[in-house]
Amino acid sequence: MSDTILVLNAGSSSIKFSVFPGHMLPSRQDLVCEGEVEDIGGQLHFMVKDGAGTLMANDYPLGTTHEDALNVLRLWLDRHYPDQRLIAAGHRIVHGGPRYTAPVRIDDAVIAELERLIPLAPLHQPHHVAAIRGLSKLHPTLPQIACFDTAFHHTQPAVATVFALPRQMSADGIRRYGFHGLSYEYIASILPEVLDREAAEGRVVVAHLGSGASMCAMRGRKSVATTMGFTALDGLPMSRRCGNLDPGVVLYLMQEKSMTVGEISHLLYHESGLFGVSGLSDDMRILLASDQPAAREAVDLFVYRIGRELGSLAAALGGVDALVFTAGIGEHASEIRRRVCLQATWLGVDLDDKANQAGEPCITRSESRAQAWVIPTDEDLMIARHVWTLVGQ
């Protein structure tokens, strides 16, 4: 028998998963398989590929809950990998609040705290808890590890995390947390393999641009400042989330438009961002291909806000030595990278357009004062390594 580690990222209607060896520090090359169970709440769709990317299953089993989805996965793994023993599972948890600054083994007290934090991450946290509880029923003795997207940002100085509110509110946990920490932690871990030593340990801004989007300023590969705050609504406009918003807008919607808290929450989390501005789509590929003015305006706003936030993060660092693009849009949308880099010429970014179009790792000229790179992120691998550290060893 060989040991394996299961990594889970649970959403409202899907569970993404990957399986890594558990007898050694995992690497991407060692991936056993990965896939997704989609359409939870309806007819499940189960898809899985092996480590080489070959499709192994594409089925539509019965089930409607997160527990059903996990049971489908459990039975499939038992059938296809009978000689492998699952030793632990790691969960991506969006919000860890002020308490959790590192991965922890999950128990009843941890679950209670995750549930208490649901109002701070309503799109994600309830489904993380559902997956944890579902797996506990299927594997009562299996160790489960919570890995937090907020943990990486606990290195920030106090001045970067506090709001200008009465002091007691800060003591009560109302502060800036930051998110996408597992992605930033992975990028930070491989910077020395990609950049020269001085740049890797210097002033680096990482742009995690996907359906959720944020940016992080690092010095010495530690988080110094980030664009998201108390919740994952803050900062850049995203696929359907609004990003930075004057809180007076919320007061206006309540007082003058008589909108309820639930209606405002739905507006800000589901009807805003690229989708809201374009009125067309939340998919950057569709928006870039469209000739509709509203689509162009949505893209323009996205790029403009990245440039504004880049300037803010550069101020926090006192300059920029390297800019890193990652996640779905950052890794694949060369046009967005091109426009962001052109906006950043004042920071010393000298774009190599051919390298950018070709998707090369470094997309700036050799004489560029600030380098720009495209580095694929790997949150699942980061979680697997945390699980191995806590359990596998």
Side-chain angles (χ1 to χ4, degrees):
M1 296 288 288
S2 59
D3 295 340
T4 56
I5 291 168
L6 174 64
V7 174
L8 298 172
N9 183 356
S12 60
S13 61
S14 68
I15 298 177
K16 296 178 181 179
F17 65 88
S18 55
V19 178
F20 290 89
H23 62 279
M24 59 183 177
L25 183 67
S27 69
R28 173 51 58 172
Q29 290 71 32
D30 301 317
L31 176 70
V32 176
C33 64
E34 63 182 351
E36 185 172 9
V37 188
E38 298 179 293
D39 299 328
I40 296 172
Q43 174 66 62
L44 296 179
H45 175 207
F46 177 71
M47 185 277 294
V48 59
K49 297 179 180 180
D50 65 17
T54 303
L55 187 66
M56 299 180 69
N58 190 24
D59 301 323
Y60 292 86
L62 296 176
T64 58
T65 67
H66 283 75
E67 183 178 342
D68 293 335
L70 289 167
N71 192 44
V72 168
L73 172 58
R74 177 182 68 90
L75 293 173
W76 188 90
L77 290 174
D78 288 346
R79 185 166 64 251
H80 286 79
Y81 297 102
D83 59 341
Q84 295 185 0
R85 174 182 58 194
L86 189 61
I87 61 167
H91 297 262
R92 178 203 175 203
I93 306 295
V94 166
H95 215 304
R99 177 176 300 181
Y100 299 117
T101 61
V104 296
R105 185 161 175 167
I106 297 171
D107 57 20
D108 289 342
V110 172
I111 294 175
E113 180 65 10
L114 298 184
E115 290 178 328
R116 191 185 69 80
L117 294 169
I118 284 176
L120 305 189
L123 289 187
H124 305 91
Q125 207 86 347
H127 316 300
H128 301 330
V129 173
I132 292 168
R133 291 192 179 281
L135 190 58
S136 294
K137 291 181 181 179
L138 298 171
H139 280 285
T141 62
L142 183 72
Q144 298 189 64
I145 307 300
C147 300
F148 302 97
D149 260 335
T150 48
F152 182 72
H153 301 294
H154 278 276
T155 57
Q156 292 182 10
V159 71
T161 66
V162 69
F163 291 119
L165 294 170
R167 297 185 69 88
Q168 184 56 44
M169 292 187 174
S170 180
D172 291 340
I174 300 177
R175 45 156 287 186
R176 298 181 63 86
Y177 290 99
F179 299 89
H180 294 132
L182 291 164
S183 175
Y184 294 130
E185 185 180 11
Y186 175 78
I187 297 298
S189 73
I190 64 169
L191 281 178
E193 301 172 20
V194 181
L195 280 64
D196 61 72
R197 177 180 175 82
E198 184 177 358
E201 299 296 334
R203 303 165 298 180
V204 179
V205 173
V206 181
H208 176 107
L209 308 178
S211 59
S214 70
M215 300 170 71
C216 177
M218 299 181 192
R219 184 185 294 113
R221 296 188 287 140
K222 304 292 184 183
S223 178
V224 172
T226 190
T227 58
M228 283 182 171
F230 182 59
T231 71
L233 272 177
D234 200 7
L236 302 175
M238 292 162 257
S239 62
R240 288 177 177 258
R241 281 174 268 171
C242 61
N244 181 262
L245 184 72
D246 181 343
V249 173
V250 176
L251 298 178
Y252 176 83
L253 294 176
M254 295 175 68
Q255 295 169 346
E256 302 300 325
K257 300 298 183 180
S258 301
M259 292 181 68
T260 66
V261 171
E263 289 170 337
I264 294 173
S265 177
H266 185 78
L267 170 71
L268 302 184
Y269 277 103
H270 299 284
E271 297 179 344
S272 301
L274 296 174
F275 177 77
V277 175
S278 71
L280 174 67
S281 175
D282 63 355
D283 189 322
M284 181 58 74
R285 294 166 297 185
I286 293 174
L287 297 179
L288 286 171
S290 175
D291 59 0
Q292 294 186 21
R296 291 197 298 269
E297 290 172 7
V299 175
D300 289 347
L301 177 60
F302 186 68
V303 173
Y304 171 76
R305 288 300 310 170
I306 293 172
R308 282 278 301 269
E309 295 291 356
L310 178 56
S312 173
L313 297 175
L317 290 169
V320 174
D321 299 310
L323 171 63
V324 175
F325 294 94
T326 194
I329 296 172
E331 294 171 28
H332 303 294
S334 60
E335 175 62 13
I336 298 299
R337 296 195 302 262
R338 184 187 71 83
R339 293 176 60 175
V340 170
C341 287
L342 291 179
Q343 282 191 161
T345 54
W346 68 281
L347 287 170
V349 176
D350 186 2
L351 178 70
D352 183 332
D353 199 52
K354 289 184 179 179
N356 180 48
Q357 289 291 336
E360 295 182 13
C362 183
I363 58 172
T364 43
R365 303 182 191 279
S366 58
E367 63 270 20
S368 181
R369 287 191 292 111
Q371 305 170 20
W373 292 80
V374 182
I375 303 178
T377 192
D378 200 332
E379 294 158 299
D380 283 3
L381 179 58
M382 200 72 247
I383 293 171
R385 288 177 172 176
H386 282 310
V387 174
W388 183 81
T389 300
L390 287 176
V391 177
Q393 290 188 84

